[in-house]
Every structure is written in C-alpha cells, then in structure tokens.
Amino acid sequence: MNAIALIVALALSAHAQPDAQPADGLTADDLTEPTIVWPPPPAPPRVEFLGQIEDADWAQPPKGLRRFFRTILGGGNAATAFEKPYGVARDSQGRIFVSDTGWRAVLVFDQANQKFSWIGQSGSGQLAGPAGMTVDKRDHLYVADTKLEAVFEYDPDGKLVQVLGGGLLKRPADIVVVEDRGELWIADTALHSLIVLDKQGQHLRTIGEQGSGEGQMKFPSNLAFDPIRQEIYVSDTMNMRIQVFDLDGNFVRTWGTQGDCLTCFARPKGIDVDSQGHVFVVDAIFANVRIFQPDGTLLLYFSDGGNEPGNLWLPSDLDIDDNDDIAVVSQYSWRVNLYHFIADETTRLPSVAADTADDTADDTADDTADDTALEPVQPADTLEQSGAAPATQATE
C-alpha cells in the first residue's frame, strides 16, 4: 500500500506542476511540435505526416485507472497491439481496418465513436491468413485470406455475409470492387493471375498468366481501381513493375523495372489512387511510397525508411480515402502511419476528357496541364541522389 501511495503522490505532484514556460528569448511558437512534410523547402509541402496507430488506444483512449497507470508506467495496450499487420482499408464512416496475420483477424479502429473491435477472430467467418482488403459502397468489408484460399465478405456490423472463390482461388492477396459492373477483382499470387467474380461469387474471367510479357504476371500482390480512367492497376511484384488493364481485362500499359533508379522498383506492393488520379505505390524494400502520374511519371516519394516518426519499415499496403488521407502499414514498426496529401489546383492532373477531344483541344489542355500539374521529379541515377523526396521538419 505504501508503494502505491508513493506512486500516486508522485503522479499528482507531477500533474500539479505549472506549465513549462519558454526559456528567455523564445516564444510559445518556438516550442511547437515540428510538422513532418515532404518535399523539403523551398518546395511547397505535398505530404504531411499526421500520426500513427499502434494499438486500440488510438481509437479507444484509456480512461480512469487504466489511463492513470498507462501514464505512470508507460507502454501501450499489448492485448491489441499489432503482431503482423499487413492490409489496410477504410469505410465511409472513417473506420480503419487492419488485417493482421499474427492475430489471424482484422482489427477495427473507430476513432469517431471511440471503439475498437475485431472481425474474423472467432466463430462464423473466422480467418486464418487475412491479407488485402477493400470496402464497397455499402460498407461491406471484403478480406482476401491466403490460407483459406477464399474471399470473406462481412456486413458493417462485422457479421459474415458469404465466402467467395472457394475451389477457384489458390492464394488471394488483394481485392478491389468495381461497383458499376458489380465485379470483384482478385489478385492471386499462386495463380499469377487476376480472377474476376461477380458479387455472388460466379467466375467471370481470368486475366493473365505467369510470365514477364505484357499482360503476364509474377506474384501480383496488390490492386487499385481508378474510377476516373476506369482502369485497374496491378502491383506485379516479382516483375518489379506496375501493369494497367482496362475493365475488359485488356493490357493497357506498364512502367517500372528492377533497380535503384527513381522509377525502379525492388518490391512494389500496396497501390491506390487519390481523388485527382495520382497513383501511390508502396515499395517494401525501398521503404517508401511513390506518387506517379497515370503514365508512370514519378512526381514525389515520401518516407526515408526506418522507425522514426513518419518513416516506414517494410511497408506493405496503403489506403487513400476521399479526403486524400493516407494510411500505410509499416510492418516492422508494428504500426499504421497516417498522412495527408495536400492537394490544390497546382497538383491537379490533366482532365481525362482531354484524351477524347480533338487535337487542338488536346494541345491546349496539355499546355495548361504543364503549367499547373505537380512538377515531375528530375532524373537522377539513384534514389539517394534525388533531392526531391526526403522529409523535412518544418515548424509551423
């Protein structure tokens, strides 16, 4: 009892201390927490680090004695800390879903309502190897399970709706929904193909085969759907490139190759498209996220690699919401990093409508785009030689 009383007394005395005052010659603004942004000045910031999720406390802050002892003793919530986080998705309510192959479940972070929950941890719809995920317009969650060789669909309350792809899939890694066509596109790393199902699970078509040619794939790991251009982006991971297909499964274009140049890849994984059509690609080995134009022109990358705030360590997946808020899984940091893409008229890409206009209109649109779009990264031999990408800490 004496020890507990001493701890309480020390805690109360610490909280009773007056607020720290700035040293002579400093103002309160000088003590503002630095903001981590990319690229460095004098360029205007385009990506801002917002924070990170490590356990349930992000969504459901501890209260009462739990908060008191967490403050005194430090540490997080071990019962809900990540073990092997992999995939991330978000619904219209702002809930963040993180698949974890260690927990064999999906962790659900609902910060708005200060709730934390699990999906697929037990009972009907129990998962074994949850990987990539997506959410449709009804807020139904789809989870690709690599071990159970199927895709699990859950309603907004986390209840199992149906299991899709059984007997057809071998190692489903990621999934996207094309709402207008009622289709589910699934990347299967064992089949080296894309499997397209309808929402009832009927097989519609298979796209690609193992290989390195156009339309062929080696271990495709992640997918993104671009609703503006009506295209599917594929992280063709072991071919170290991005491939693009139209919604009928026809090959459209590709970019990237193996190496350490700015547009090279070592292990492309998570991929998504923002509100303006920029393509964000995670590279697990380079430990960063690249931002491309749809034609593969590199605009920027963020994260310098490592465990420091804002950086990534073996990142795997990312999700971008309608507000251009970005969530990226950092596997070896056991956390999800949160960023915001700072978009304005100077970052807007040329309108897709210009592609179908006459030549004169195209020329005008292209000239306008050159004046307003994000300026592409200048060529450099390696990632380390580019001055466009590293983060800076700018005090607001």
Side-chain angles (χ1 to χ4, degrees), residues 120-302:
Q121 190 180 33
S122 61
S124 177
Q126 184 172 353
L127 299 165
M133 302 178 292
T134 195
V135 178
D136 70 11
K137 64 182 180 181
R138 304 168 299 164
D139 280 345
H140 280 220
L141 176 71
Y142 296 83
V143 183
D145 193 303
T146 59
K147 292 186 177 180
L148 296 179
E149 303 178 356
V151 170
F152 288 68
E153 178 187 353
Y154 301 89
D155 69 15
D157 295 324
K159 297 179 181 178
L160 180 68
V161 175
Q162 60 179 333
V163 180
L164 306 164
L168 177 66
L169 304 174
K170 295 299 182 184
R171 193 174 178 83
D174 199 15
I175 181 170
V176 293
V177 176
V178 181
E179 293 283 4
D180 292 344
R181 297 169 63 123
E183 294 179 347
L184 310 175
W185 287 59
I186 303 161
D188 194 304
T189 59
L191 296 176
H192 308 281
S193 302
L194 308 181
I195 310 299
V196 184
L197 310 178
D198 66 20
K199 283 199 169 184
Q200 289 70 49
Q202 294 298 312
H203 180 218
L204 300 178
R205 58 193 176 279
T206 297
I207 300 165
E209 60 184 2
Q210 184 171 6
S212 300
E214 292 183 351
Q216 296 179 326
M217 289 165 260
K218 287 184 180 179
F219 300 95
S221 63
N222 293 82
L223 301 174
F225 170 56
D226 182 352
I228 299 173
R229 294 178 176 266
Q230 295 288 293
E231 294 176 332
I232 300 289
Y233 291 88
V234 183
S235 286
D236 189 4
T237 300
M238 297 314 294
N239 277 326
M240 318 317 185
R241 65 186 181 185
I242 303 302
Q243 292 205 70
V244 187
F245 296 85
D246 67 22
L247 295 185
D248 293 323
N250 299 308
F251 171 81
V252 177
R253 62 187 177 278
T254 186
W255 75 80
T257 187
Q258 185 175 9
D260 65 352
C261 66
L262 282 171
T263 56
C264 296
F265 291 110
R267 191 174 296 171
K269 299 294 286 295
I271 186 168
D272 207 350
V273 180
D274 73 3
S275 65
Q276 297 186 353
H278 303 108
V279 185
F280 290 62
V281 182
V282 168
D283 194 297
I285 300 302
F286 287 139
N288 62 24
V289 177
R290 320 257 189 101
I291 306 175
F292 295 91
Q293 289 181 347
D295 64 359
T297 301
L298 179 64
L299 301 174
L300 178 70
Y301 72 82
F302 60 94

Side-chain angles (χ1 to χ4, degrees), residues 51-87:
Q52 61 197 36
I53 304 173
E54 295 180 316
D55 54 40
D57 288 355
W58 180 82
Q60 192 176 32
K63 299 178 181 180
L65 285 177
R66 190 161 67 96
R67 179 179 180 181
F68 171 76
F69 283 108
R70 188 73 52 79
T71 302
I72 298 302
L73 302 176
N77 188 342
T80 58
F82 296 120
E83 288 196 1
K84 293 181 180 179
Y86 183 83

